[in-house]
Amino acid sequence: MKNSRKLAMAGMVALAGFAALAAPAQAQRDPVYAAARANGSVGEQTDGYLGITGQATPDLQRMVDDINIRRRAVYAEKAKENNATLEQYAITAGCQAIARTTPGEKYQAPDGSWKTRTDAPPERLSICP
């Protein structure tokens, strides 16, 4: 059962990578989002959603909430299409989003702590391919 879950998760990873970019892509081109990502105010979480890494301002919280609402909608649609749960699909998207971070950007490590990406591969959940 554990191997079949890993296989299913791995199969969805490629799809999740594309889905993660679909709806929130426009929001992610926003200069406010780009600045928050570059200065480490936000980072990619293991659950597939964007997180605030420090002090939340109302504007920052609104932006993160908006992006996460869009991500959730895409994940729900794609999970249904692929006979997966929303959580499974979101986690696979999180694996991909963390893998795509660049040096200097923040991401959530498997232990829940926030890390700053270096030139080394980021720490990811053991179920990530």
Side-chain angles (χ1 to χ4, degrees), residues 34-43 51-54 60 104-107 114 116:
R37 192 167 172 114
N39 71 26
S41 298
V42 298
I52 297 174
T53 63
L60 185 61
E105 293 180 336
K106 296 281 189 182
Y107 70 93
W114 287 107
T116 301

Side-chain angles (χ1 to χ4, degrees), residues 43-127:
E44 295 295 341
Q45 298 179 156
T46 57
D47 65 1
Y49 296 96
L50 192 64
I52 297 174
T53 63
Q55 185 74 19
T57 65
D59 288 340
L60 185 61
Q61 188 66 60
R62 272 192 296 280
M63 180 194 66
V64 168
D65 289 347
D66 181 58
I67 289 171
N68 286 340
I69 287 167
R70 292 171 189 262
R71 285 184 182 189
R72 188 180 196 296
V74 171
Y75 298 164
E77 179 182 325
K78 296 298 183 180
K80 185 175 180 180
E81 289 173 9
N82 291 284
N83 294 321
T85 68
L86 175 63
E87 180 184 44
Q88 288 171 326
Y89 204 87
I91 289 171
T92 61
C95 290
Q96 291 297 322
I98 289 171
R100 286 191 306 267
T101 57
T102 60
E105 293 180 336
K106 296 281 189 182
Y107 70 93
Q108 189 179 43
D111 68 3
S113 65
W114 287 107
K115 304 278 185 170
T116 301
R117 175 78 188 263
T118 65
D119 288 330
E123 298 174 37
R124 298 189 305 153
L125 296 172
S126 62
I127 61 170

